Amino acid sequence: MTLLKMKFNQQRRVRLAQGLWLMSWLAVTGGAFIFCLGVYLKTELLRRDEVMENAEIHVVPNILMMVGLASMGTNWVASRVCQDSLDVSRFPRWKVPLLAWFAMAALLCCLLLTVVVLSYALQGSLEDSLKVGLRNGIRFYKDTDVPGRCFQKETIDRLQMEFRCCGNNNFKDWFEVQWVSSRYLDFTSQEVKDRIRSNVDGRYLLDGVPFSCCNPASPRPCLQNHLTDSRAHYNYEYQSEELNLYSRGCRQALTDYYMGLMNSTGPGVLSVIMIQMSVLLSMRYLQTAVEAAIASENPEGESEGYLLDKGVKETYQDVRAKVLGLLKFGQVDPSEDASGAAEGAKTADTEKAATPTPAS
């Protein structure tokens, strides 16, 4: 049973080839868009790589870049096929390459759908990566003299100012770490001694935050220190006062930002999928219609184009049988190998017996 059969005369085949040529170049443009989208997302992820614990989320831009490049190449080939379909002497050379083309085009569509799914599925992994990375970034904030961590302070400060956030979950995360380097502490001061002595780990802990947590939109000058002491500031209540700090944690801010980027790619990726599917189906109609016209020995006559020569079930069984046949062809049958070895051993024994024993 032929699936979705259509009649094509010479004029309709030419129009199909011309329309497919235009769609192919539109798909090339879509592939370039997907590639640029992947590059931009990859760049944004690398910019904050220091506050990410793992790189699982990088699979999304990696697939986008790979699919974008492959889509440009695949659809460029489709445009060449469209041109050669108008010449009976040149089209037959595409008969075998088109099989690989169809497999590649279908794989690209599947990969693009995978990107859409991963954009939502990896949100939990992104949050966990940022949680650990930001926690380490805050802990190493003071290590401006330690190799490998020299720029950690600058990274965190720029991050908090750019995304208008403070700490990992909120500003109180800074209360739990010593974020002031020991080189800037006066150990002869009684206050410093008391704070270090009062802590079990001997750390200098403050109920304060770095300057980058300050919200410039606040009408009040920023309060950075003694944030839990209502008596330390005039007209200030710790429990009810809106602190002049960013209230949102950086983990939530970065998660929202990256998920917004990846989710915004969804409509664009789905549009490219629709274009690619249109190219795939149109190419199948063009292939079968032109091959039927050539087979009828009347290239300018009427021919039939279709998607599948048989039903879906029969086509699947045929493809499966061909794949299994190819796999079997590439393997060595153990029974044949064993029989061949036995015959070889038998031949060797026969030759050995026929060889005369040298006289002593």
Side-chain angles (χ1 to χ4, degrees), residues 80-143:
R80 295 295 304 276
V81 175
C82 294
Q83 293 175 342
D84 290 349
S85 66
L86 304 177
D87 189 344
V88 177
S89 62
R90 298 172 63 182
F91 185 80
R93 66 178 182 175
W94 292 104
K95 185 173 183 180
V96 175
L98 273 177
L99 297 177
W101 186 93
F102 284 118
M104 187 65 181
L107 178 62
L108 291 179
C109 294
C110 294
L111 287 175
L112 287 173
L113 285 173
T114 303
V115 167
V116 176
V117 174
L118 288 176
S119 297
Y120 295 93
L122 290 177
Q123 180 174 358
S125 175
L126 175 62
E127 289 183 355
D128 293 340
S129 176
L130 288 171
K131 180 180 180 180
V132 178
L134 285 169
R135 184 176 62 197
N136 291 334
I138 292 173
R139 187 175 62 179
F140 302 140
Y141 180 85
K142 68 179 187 303
D143 298 337

Side-chain angles (χ1 to χ4, degrees), residues 200-220:
V200 177
D201 298 330
R203 295 178 296 170
Y204 181 74
L205 301 182
L206 291 171
D207 54 345
V209 296
F211 78 97
S212 53
C213 283
C214 294
N215 184 0
S218 173
R220 180 171 187 162

